[in-house]
Amino acid sequence: MSDRVVILGGGPGGYEAALVAAQLGADVTVVDSDGIGGSAVLTDCVPSKTLIATAEVMTEVAGAAELGVNFHDAEGDAATAIRVDLGRVNERVKALAADQSADIARRLAREGVEVVTGRGRLDGPGRVVVGDASYDADAVLVATGAAPRTLPSAQPDGERILTWEQVYDLTDVPTELIVVGSGVTGAEFASAYLALGIPVTLVSSRDRVLPGEDADASLVLEEVSKRRGMTVLSKSRMESVTRDGDVVTVTLTDGRTVQGSHCILALGSVPNTDDLGLEEAGVLVKDGGFVYVDRVSRTSARGVYAAGDCTGVLMLASVAAMQGRIAMWHFLGDAVTPLDLKKVSSNVFTAPEIATVGWSQQAVDAGEIQAEVVMLPLGGNPRAKMQGVRDGFVKLFCRPGTGIVVGGVVVGPRASELIHPVSIAVAESLTADQLAQAFTVYPSMSGSIAEAARRMHRV
């Protein structure tokens, strides 16, 4: 008789777990109320990165004149302005998200996974209740995700005060956009809308943008953003956000006010774990509602696993998917490697992008690990010069003595792609010499990674 697996949530943690479990012969049911793919596909990662892809085109077009490319209208006059049709952009964003969700649903169906529409909750560790129906399970995976955090003094109205899930209903271009919060989400949206030609003010409670990222990378992003026209209010904590007609006012705790036509709230996330029957089933929930899990995605209740943003481990779609796979590999007795966050690569999709993997500069500075550091500006890279790229760098962290690569940072266009060789080096414990001796294409941005590794060489 097949093992019975019930999964709460159809996001990356849920659907990837379902595919693994089905492949290993389990009888799988996914209970989902928001749409297959979850927020990652429908309201977060896929939509935001599609919007950012449009913004990237705008950035490239805006810099075309430096490369000798000029635009003219039908009469031959020079075209001096680039404008975005936000309504059309958002139509495409939502269509692509819906298509991706449908693709995943079709694959689940091909693999024999049952999808139940509704909101499920645990009735003890081995049963899930959905409405009047109940499903017994040998294992349950909780992958219910998270939602945008709001405050009583800053309530979204879906029209001019918006969470990051609500921006795709905009049809009119904001005349002045305020983004509250300078973490990854806030920085990405501020950067994207700035590239779309919209005046942006970023309200940051910290002393720098992206306080959780590499400090050198944050400095480059902030300098580039200001140079392109963004107003960055550092050490400025939001007190409230209010609306009066077409005007949104952000009041700061020091009494200053900032006014605009729209405001995006990027205040973090809260887990979707209320009323799931977790504590009654013996599942330990941490402060803030996040589910406690170990490195193989087990909760404190036997047979109950959890994956994704509801665990608060590292809120990335890639991590959610891996947590879900690990849970099923573990439960079904397949080979499994516990989650190692020091091998997770991540990217901030700003302009320029910031990609990281492994140990950080902050950890090195704090003495958590001994590592040699080399930083190589991208401005000297021949391909970067050809493309008019001046901002960015490659940074590598290597263990003294052995030269093993333990971390890296890439700042620049398509850093999300450039980080991959560094990620492989970290995952496989390659040395800087091994990374340096692999051939790179000339000219290429990736040549800077090999060059940085060569500078680590010690006789």
PDB file of all heavy atoms in Angstrom, residues 414-446:
ATOM      1  N   ARG A 414      22.745  41.154 -14.608  1.00  0.00           N
ATOM      2  CA  ARG A 414      22.628  39.697 -14.636  1.00  0.00           C
ATOM      3  C   ARG A 414      23.533  39.016 -13.602  1.00  0.00           C
ATOM      4  O   ARG A 414      24.059  37.926 -13.839  1.00  0.00           O
ATOM      5  CB  ARG A 414      22.943  39.147 -16.021  1.00  0.00           C
ATOM      6  CG  ARG A 414      22.170  39.775 -17.168  1.00  0.00           C
ATOM      7  CD  ARG A 414      20.680  39.446 -17.117  1.00  0.00           C
ATOM      8  NE  ARG A 414      20.017  39.834 -18.353  1.00  0.00           N
ATOM      9  CZ  ARG A 414      19.548  41.051 -18.621  1.00  0.00           C
ATOM     10  NH1 ARG A 414      19.714  42.013 -17.717  1.00  0.00           N
ATOM     11  NH2 ARG A 414      18.922  41.332 -19.745  1.00  0.00           N
ATOM     12  N   ALA A 415      23.699  39.631 -12.470  1.00  0.00           N
ATOM     13  CA  ALA A 415      24.481  38.999 -11.401  1.00  0.00           C
ATOM     14  C   ALA A 415      23.871  37.657 -11.007  1.00  0.00           C
ATOM     15  O   ALA A 415      24.578  36.748 -10.573  1.00  0.00           O
ATOM     16  CB  ALA A 415      24.567  39.919 -10.185  1.00  0.00           C
ATOM     17  N   SER A 416      22.560  37.522 -11.171  1.00  0.00           N
ATOM     18  CA  SER A 416      21.872  36.269 -10.856  1.00  0.00           C
ATOM     19  C   SER A 416      22.404  35.113 -11.688  1.00  0.00           C
ATOM     20  O   SER A 416      22.350  33.951 -11.261  1.00  0.00           O
ATOM     21  CB  SER A 416      20.366  36.421 -11.082  1.00  0.00           C
ATOM     22  OG  SER A 416      20.099  36.990 -12.357  1.00  0.00           O
ATOM     23  N   GLU A 417      22.901  35.392 -12.884  1.00  0.00           N
ATOM     24  CA  GLU A 417      23.501  34.361 -13.725  1.00  0.00           C
ATOM     25  C   GLU A 417      24.993  34.201 -13.408  1.00  0.00           C
ATOM     26  O   GLU A 417      25.526  33.091 -13.423  1.00  0.00           O
ATOM     27  CB  GLU A 417      23.326  34.718 -15.207  1.00  0.00           C
ATOM     28  CG  GLU A 417      21.905  35.066 -15.616  1.00  0.00           C
ATOM     29  CD  GLU A 417      20.952  33.873 -15.551  1.00  0.00           C
ATOM     30  OE1 GLU A 417      21.434  32.731 -15.458  1.00  0.00           O
ATOM     31  OE2 GLU A 417      19.728  34.083 -15.582  1.00  0.00           O
ATOM     32  N   LEU A 418      25.665  35.307 -13.133  1.00  0.00           N
ATOM     33  CA  LEU A 418      27.109  35.268 -12.898  1.00  0.00           C
ATOM     34  C   LEU A 418      27.491  34.569 -11.599  1.00  0.00           C
ATOM     35  O   LEU A 418      28.614  34.080 -11.458  1.00  0.00           O
ATOM     36  CB  LEU A 418      27.671  36.691 -12.887  1.00  0.00           C
ATOM     37  CG  LEU A 418      27.739  37.420 -14.225  1.00  0.00           C
ATOM     38  CD1 LEU A 418      28.121  38.880 -14.014  1.00  0.00           C
ATOM     39  CD2 LEU A 418      28.734  36.740 -15.155  1.00  0.00           C
ATOM     40  N   ILE A 419      26.582  34.495 -10.637  1.00  0.00           N
ATOM     41  CA  ILE A 419      26.921  33.905  -9.344  1.00  0.00           C
ATOM     42  C   ILE A 419      27.051  32.385  -9.432  1.00  0.00           C
ATOM     43  O   ILE A 419      27.659  31.755  -8.556  1.00  0.00           O
ATOM     44  CB  ILE A 419      25.859  34.291  -8.269  1.00  0.00           C
ATOM     45  CG1 ILE A 419      26.389  34.049  -6.848  1.00  0.00           C
ATOM     46  CG2 ILE A 419      24.553  33.528  -8.493  1.00  0.00           C
ATOM     47  CD1 ILE A 419      27.535  34.922  -6.448  1.00  0.00           C
ATOM     48  N   HIS A 420      26.532  31.790 -10.485  1.00  0.00           N
ATOM     49  CA  HIS A 420      26.457  30.323 -10.537  1.00  0.00           C
ATOM     50  C   HIS A 420      27.815  29.636 -10.418  1.00  0.00           C
ATOM     51  O   HIS A 420      27.947  28.672  -9.644  1.00  0.00           O
ATOM     52  CB  HIS A 420      25.729  29.868 -11.800  1.00  0.00           C
ATOM     53  CG  HIS A 420      25.377  28.404 -11.769  1.00  0.00           C
ATOM     54  ND1 HIS A 420      25.701  27.535 -12.774  1.00  0.00           N
ATOM     55  CD2 HIS A 420      24.762  27.652 -10.827  1.00  0.00           C
ATOM     56  CE1 HIS A 420      25.297  26.328 -12.466  1.00  0.00           C
ATOM     57  NE2 HIS A 420      24.725  26.372 -11.297  1.00  0.00           N
ATOM     58  N   PRO A 421      28.861  30.059 -11.148  1.00  0.00           N
ATOM     59  CA  PRO A 421      30.153  29.383 -10.959  1.00  0.00           C
ATOM     60  C   PRO A 421      30.687  29.512  -9.534  1.00  0.00           C
ATOM     61  O   PRO A 421      31.322  28.589  -9.029  1.00  0.00           O
ATOM     62  CB  PRO A 421      31.071  30.071 -11.975  1.00  0.00           C
ATOM     63  CG  PRO A 421      30.395  31.332 -12.362  1.00  0.00           C
ATOM     64  CD  PRO A 421      28.935  31.061 -12.225  1.00  0.00           C
ATOM     65  N   VAL A 422      30.421  30.634  -8.886  1.00  0.00           N
ATOM     66  CA  VAL A 422      30.847  30.794  -7.488  1.00  0.00           C
ATOM     67  C   VAL A 422      30.031  29.861  -6.599  1.00  0.00           C
ATOM     68  O   VAL A 422      30.564  29.249  -5.666  1.00  0.00           O
ATOM     69  CB  VAL A 422      30.691  32.257  -7.031  1.00  0.00           C
ATOM     70  CG1 VAL A 422      31.249  32.434  -5.621  1.00  0.00           C
ATOM     71  CG2 VAL A 422      31.366  33.209  -7.999  1.00  0.00           C
ATOM     72  N   SER A 423      28.751  29.728  -6.897  1.00  0.00           N
ATOM     73  CA  SER A 423      27.883  28.831  -6.135  1.00  0.00           C
ATOM     74  C   SER A 423      28.362  27.386  -6.248  1.00  0.00           C
ATOM     75  O   SER A 423      28.379  26.639  -5.261  1.00  0.00           O
ATOM     76  CB  SER A 423      26.445  28.948  -6.637  1.00  0.00           C
ATOM     77  OG  SER A 423      25.570  28.146  -5.868  1.00  0.00           O
ATOM     78  N   ILE A 424      28.756  26.987  -7.450  1.00  0.00           N
ATOM     79  CA  ILE A 424      29.291  25.630  -7.635  1.00  0.00           C
ATOM     80  C   ILE A 424      30.582  25.456  -6.836  1.00  0.00           C
ATOM     81  O   ILE A 424      30.795  24.428  -6.179  1.00  0.00           O
ATOM     82  CB  ILE A 424      29.543  25.353  -9.128  1.00  0.00           C
ATOM     83  CG1 ILE A 424      28.213  25.287  -9.885  1.00  0.00           C
ATOM     84  CG2 ILE A 424      30.319  24.045  -9.313  1.00  0.00           C
ATOM     85  CD1 ILE A 424      28.363  25.181 -11.385  1.00  0.00           C
ATOM     86  N   ALA A 425      31.453  26.468  -6.870  1.00  0.00           N
ATOM     87  CA  ALA A 425      32.705  26.396  -6.118  1.00  0.00           C
ATOM     88  C   ALA A 425      32.445  26.230  -4.629  1.00  0.00           C
ATOM     89  O   ALA A 425      33.105  25.426  -3.951  1.00  0.00           O
ATOM     90  CB  ALA A 425      33.538  27.653  -6.381  1.00  0.00           C
ATOM     91  N   VAL A 426      31.474  26.980  -4.099  1.00  0.00           N
ATOM     92  CA  VAL A 426      31.143  26.883  -2.672  1.00  0.00           C
ATOM     93  C   VAL A 426      30.545  25.507  -2.362  1.00  0.00           C
ATOM     94  O   VAL A 426      30.931  24.853  -1.383  1.00  0.00           O
ATOM     95  CB  VAL A 426      30.170  28.005  -2.270  1.00  0.00           C
ATOM     96  CG1 VAL A 426      29.644  27.771  -0.851  1.00  0.00           C
ATOM     97  CG2 VAL A 426      30.857  29.362  -2.356  1.00  0.00           C
ATOM     98  N   ALA A 427      29.630  25.051  -3.198  1.00  0.00           N
ATOM     99  CA  ALA A 427      28.957  23.772  -2.950  1.00  0.00           C
ATOM    100  C   ALA A 427      29.922  22.598  -3.004  1.00  0.00           C
ATOM    101  O   ALA A 427      29.791  21.631  -2.237  1.00  0.00           O
ATOM    102  CB  ALA A 427      27.830  23.570  -3.960  1.00  0.00           C
ATOM    103  N   GLU A 428      30.906  22.670  -3.887  1.00  0.00           N
ATOM    104  CA  GLU A 428      31.823  21.549  -4.091  1.00  0.00           C
ATOM    105  C   GLU A 428      33.182  21.757  -3.422  1.00  0.00           C
ATOM    106  O   GLU A 428      34.107  20.973  -3.650  1.00  0.00           O
ATOM    107  CB  GLU A 428      32.020  21.319  -5.588  1.00  0.00           C
ATOM    108  CG  GLU A 428      30.740  20.972  -6.324  1.00  0.00           C
ATOM    109  CD  GLU A 428      30.083  19.713  -5.791  1.00  0.00           C
ATOM    110  OE1 GLU A 428      30.815  18.771  -5.429  1.00  0.00           O
ATOM    111  OE2 GLU A 428      28.837  19.692  -5.710  1.00  0.00           O
ATOM    112  N   SER A 429      33.313  22.818  -2.618  1.00  0.00           N
ATOM    113  CA  SER A 429      34.565  23.114  -1.901  1.00  0.00           C
ATOM    114  C   SER A 429      35.758  23.203  -2.850  1.00  0.00           C
ATOM    115  O   SER A 429      36.841  22.677  -2.573  1.00  0.00           O
ATOM    116  CB  SER A 429      34.830  22.062  -0.815  1.00  0.00           C
ATOM    117  OG  SER A 429      33.807  22.081   0.154  1.00  0.00           O
ATOM    118  N   LEU A 430      35.556  23.879  -3.969  1.00  0.00           N
ATOM    119  CA  LEU A 430      36.648  24.099  -4.907  1.00  0.00           C
ATOM    120  C   LEU A 430      37.579  25.181  -4.375  1.00  0.00           C
ATOM    121  O   LEU A 430      37.177  26.045  -3.598  1.00  0.00           O
ATOM    122  CB  LEU A 430      36.102  24.533  -6.273  1.00  0.00           C
ATOM    123  CG  LEU A 430      35.139  23.579  -6.984  1.00  0.00           C
ATOM    124  CD1 LEU A 430      34.742  24.155  -8.337  1.00  0.00           C
ATOM    125  CD2 LEU A 430      35.758  22.201  -7.154  1.00  0.00           C
ATOM    126  N   THR A 431      38.831  25.139  -4.800  1.00  0.00           N
ATOM    127  CA  THR A 431      39.776  26.174  -4.411  1.00  0.00           C
ATOM    128  C   THR A 431      39.729  27.328  -5.409  1.00  0.00           C
ATOM    129  O   THR A 431      39.222  27.186  -6.536  1.00  0.00           O
ATOM    130  CB  THR A 431      41.206  25.622  -4.363  1.00  0.00           C
ATOM    131  OG1 THR A 431      41.611  25.265  -5.692  1.00  0.00           O
ATOM    132  CG2 THR A 431      41.296  24.416  -3.444  1.00  0.00           C
ATOM    133  N   ALA A 432      40.304  28.445  -5.003  1.00  0.00           N
ATOM    134  CA  ALA A 432      40.379  29.595  -5.907  1.00  0.00           C
ATOM    135  C   ALA A 432      41.195  29.230  -7.152  1.00  0.00           C
ATOM    136  O   ALA A 432      40.866  29.663  -8.263  1.00  0.00           O
ATOM    137  CB  ALA A 432      41.001  30.790  -5.187  1.00  0.00           C
ATOM    138  N   ASP A 433      42.233  28.432  -6.977  1.00  0.00           N
ATOM    139  CA  ASP A 433      43.036  28.026  -8.129  1.00  0.00           C
ATOM    140  C   ASP A 433      42.215  27.194  -9.105  1.00  0.00           C
ATOM    141  O   ASP A 433      42.327  27.361 -10.329  1.00  0.00           O
ATOM    142  CB  ASP A 433      44.263  27.222  -7.672  1.00  0.00           C
ATOM    143  CG  ASP A 433      45.365  28.113  -7.104  1.00  0.00           C
ATOM    144  OD1 ASP A 433      45.262  29.345  -7.256  1.00  0.00           O
ATOM    145  OD2 ASP A 433      46.310  27.577  -6.502  1.00  0.00           O
ATOM    146  N   GLN A 434      41.396  26.297  -8.591  1.00  0.00           N
ATOM    147  CA  GLN A 434      40.548  25.491  -9.475  1.00  0.00           C
ATOM    148  C   GLN A 434      39.546  26.367 -10.218  1.00  0.00           C
ATOM    149  O   GLN A 434      39.283  26.168 -11.410  1.00  0.00           O
ATOM    150  CB  GLN A 434      39.824  24.414  -8.670  1.00  0.00           C
ATOM    151  CG  GLN A 434      40.732  23.302  -8.193  1.00  0.00           C
ATOM    152  CD  GLN A 434      40.025  22.338  -7.265  1.00  0.00           C
ATOM    153  OE1 GLN A 434      39.336  22.749  -6.319  1.00  0.00           O
ATOM    154  NE2 GLN A 434      40.193  21.042  -7.518  1.00  0.00           N
ATOM    155  N   LEU A 435      38.979  27.349  -9.519  1.00  0.00           N
ATOM    156  CA  LEU A 435      38.041  28.266 -10.162  1.00  0.00           C
ATOM    157  C   LEU A 435      38.760  29.103 -11.213  1.00  0.00           C
ATOM    158  O   LEU A 435      38.232  29.356 -12.299  1.00  0.00           O
ATOM    159  CB  LEU A 435      37.407  29.168  -9.095  1.00  0.00           C
ATOM    160  CG  LEU A 435      36.314  30.141  -9.540  1.00  0.00           C
ATOM    161  CD1 LEU A 435      35.138  29.404 -10.172  1.00  0.00           C
ATOM    162  CD2 LEU A 435      35.831  30.976  -8.350  1.00  0.00           C
ATOM    163  N   ALA A 436      39.980  29.518 -10.914  1.00  0.00           N
ATOM    164  CA  ALA A 436      40.740  30.364 -11.831  1.00  0.00           C
ATOM    165  C   ALA A 436      41.153  29.624 -13.088  1.00  0.00           C
ATOM    166  O   ALA A 436      41.250  30.213 -14.171  1.00  0.00           O
ATOM    167  CB  ALA A 436      41.979  30.910 -11.118  1.00  0.00           C
ATOM    168  N   GLN A 437      41.411  28.305 -12.971  1.00  0.00           N
ATOM    169  CA  GLN A 437      41.939  27.550 -14.092  1.00  0.00           C
ATOM    170  C   GLN A 437      40.873  27.051 -15.055  1.00  0.00           C
ATOM    171  O   GLN A 437      41.196  26.531 -16.128  1.00  0.00           O
ATOM    172  CB  GLN A 437      42.773  26.378 -13.562  1.00  0.00           C
ATOM    173  CG  GLN A 437      44.076  26.845 -12.915  1.00  0.00           C
ATOM    174  CD  GLN A 437      44.734  25.783 -12.063  1.00  0.00           C
ATOM    175  OE1 GLN A 437      44.356  24.615 -12.099  1.00  0.00           O
ATOM    176  NE2 GLN A 437      45.736  26.186 -11.273  1.00  0.00           N
ATOM    177  N   ALA A 438      39.604  27.212 -14.694  1.00  0.00           N
ATOM    178  CA  ALA A 438      38.527  26.882 -15.634  1.00  0.00           C
ATOM    179  C   ALA A 438      38.460  27.969 -16.705  1.00  0.00           C
ATOM    180  O   ALA A 438      38.557  29.164 -16.401  1.00  0.00           O
ATOM    181  CB  ALA A 438      37.194  26.779 -14.899  1.00  0.00           C
ATOM    182  N   PHE A 439      38.301  27.556 -17.951  1.00  0.00           N
ATOM    183  CA  PHE A 439      38.266  28.519 -19.043  1.00  0.00           C
ATOM    184  C   PHE A 439      37.014  29.385 -18.971  1.00  0.00           C
ATOM    185  O   PHE A 439      35.923  28.894 -18.661  1.00  0.00           O
ATOM    186  CB  PHE A 439      38.309  27.801 -20.396  1.00  0.00           C
ATOM    187  CG  PHE A 439      39.688  27.447 -20.861  1.00  0.00           C
ATOM    188  CD1 PHE A 439      40.254  26.229 -20.517  1.00  0.00           C
ATOM    189  CD2 PHE A 439      40.428  28.338 -21.623  1.00  0.00           C
ATOM    190  CE1 PHE A 439      41.528  25.899 -20.933  1.00  0.00           C
ATOM    191  CE2 PHE A 439      41.704  28.018 -22.046  1.00  0.00           C
ATOM    192  CZ  PHE A 439      42.266  26.794 -21.706  1.00  0.00           C
ATOM    193  N   THR A 440      37.175  30.663 -19.255  1.00  0.00           N
ATOM    194  CA  THR A 440      36.042  31.558 -19.440  1.00  0.00           C
ATOM    195  C   THR A 440      36.109  32.123 -20.854  1.00  0.00           C
ATOM    196  O   THR A 440      37.171  32.180 -21.468  1.00  0.00           O
ATOM    197  CB  THR A 440      36.063  32.724 -18.435  1.00  0.00           C
ATOM    198  OG1 THR A 440      37.310  33.423 -18.565  1.00  0.00           O
ATOM    199  CG2 THR A 440      35.915  32.221 -17.011  1.00  0.00           C
ATOM    200  N   VAL A 441      34.960  32.513 -21.362  1.00  0.00           N
ATOM    201  CA  VAL A 441      34.893  33.103 -22.701  1.00  0.00           C
ATOM    202  C   VAL A 441      35.513  34.495 -22.662  1.00  0.00           C
ATOM    203  O   VAL A 441      35.333  35.236 -21.682  1.00  0.00           O
ATOM    204  CB  VAL A 441      33.435  33.177 -23.179  1.00  0.00           C
ATOM    205  CG1 VAL A 441      33.323  33.965 -24.479  1.00  0.00           C
ATOM    206  CG2 VAL A 441      32.859  31.769 -23.355  1.00  0.00           C
ATOM    207  N   TYR A 442      36.236  34.857 -23.715  1.00  0.00           N
ATOM    208  CA  TYR A 442      36.746  36.234 -23.823  1.00  0.00           C
ATOM    209  C   TYR A 442      36.089  36.895 -25.028  1.00  0.00           C
ATOM    210  O   TYR A 442      36.104  36.333 -26.130  1.00  0.00           O
ATOM    211  CB  TYR A 442      38.262  36.259 -24.011  1.00  0.00           C
ATOM    212  CG  TYR A 442      38.790  37.681 -24.096  1.00  0.00           C
ATOM    213  CD1 TYR A 442      39.107  38.388 -22.941  1.00  0.00           C
ATOM    214  CD2 TYR A 442      38.897  38.329 -25.319  1.00  0.00           C
ATOM    215  CE1 TYR A 442      39.552  39.700 -23.008  1.00  0.00           C
ATOM    216  CE2 TYR A 442      39.347  39.644 -25.392  1.00  0.00           C
ATOM    217  CZ  TYR A 442      39.673  40.325 -24.242  1.00  0.00           C
ATOM    218  OH  TYR A 442      40.088  41.628 -24.310  1.00  0.00           O
ATOM    219  N   PRO A 443      35.520  38.084 -24.840  1.00  0.00           N
ATOM    220  CA  PRO A 443      35.308  38.781 -23.572  1.00  0.00           C
ATOM    221  C   PRO A 443      33.999  38.337 -22.929  1.00  0.00           C
ATOM    222  O   PRO A 443      33.019  38.025 -23.614  1.00  0.00           O
ATOM    223  CB  PRO A 443      35.240  40.247 -24.011  1.00  0.00           C
ATOM    224  CG  PRO A 443      34.603  40.180 -25.376  1.00  0.00           C
ATOM    225  CD  PRO A 443      35.103  38.913 -26.009  1.00  0.00           C
ATOM    226  N   SER A 444      33.967  38.329 -21.620  1.00  0.00           N
ATOM    227  CA  SER A 444      32.743  37.991 -20.895  1.00  0.00           C
ATOM    228  C   SER A 444      32.809  38.571 -19.497  1.00  0.00           C
ATOM    229  O   SER A 444      33.891  38.779 -18.945  1.00  0.00           O
ATOM    230  CB  SER A 444      32.554  36.474 -20.802  1.00  0.00           C
ATOM    231  OG  SER A 444      33.549  35.903 -19.971  1.00  0.00           O
ATOM    232  N   MET A 445      31.654  38.829 -18.930  1.00  0.00           N
ATOM    233  CA  MET A 445      31.592  39.289 -17.543  1.00  0.00           C
ATOM    234  C   MET A 445      32.145  38.222 -16.595  1.00  0.00           C
ATOM    235  O   MET A 445      32.787  38.532 -15.591  1.00  0.00           O
ATOM    236  CB  MET A 445      30.152  39.605 -17.153  1.00  0.00           C
ATOM    237  CG  MET A 445      29.531  40.771 -17.897  1.00  0.00           C
ATOM    238  SD  MET A 445      30.146  42.365 -17.320  1.00  0.00           S
ATOM    239  CE  MET A 445      28.858  43.431 -17.982  1.00  0.00           C
ATOM    240  N   SER A 446      31.904  36.946 -16.940  1.00  0.00           N
ATOM    241  CA  SER A 446      32.374  35.872 -16.065  1.00  0.00           C
ATOM    242  C   SER A 446      33.888  35.830 -15.982  1.00  0.00           C
ATOM    243  O   SER A 446      34.451  35.234 -15.056  1.00  0.00           O
ATOM    244  CB  SER A 446      31.828  34.526 -16.539  1.00  0.00           C
ATOM    245  OG  SER A 446      32.239  34.249 -17.864  1.00  0.00           O
TER     246      SER A 446
END
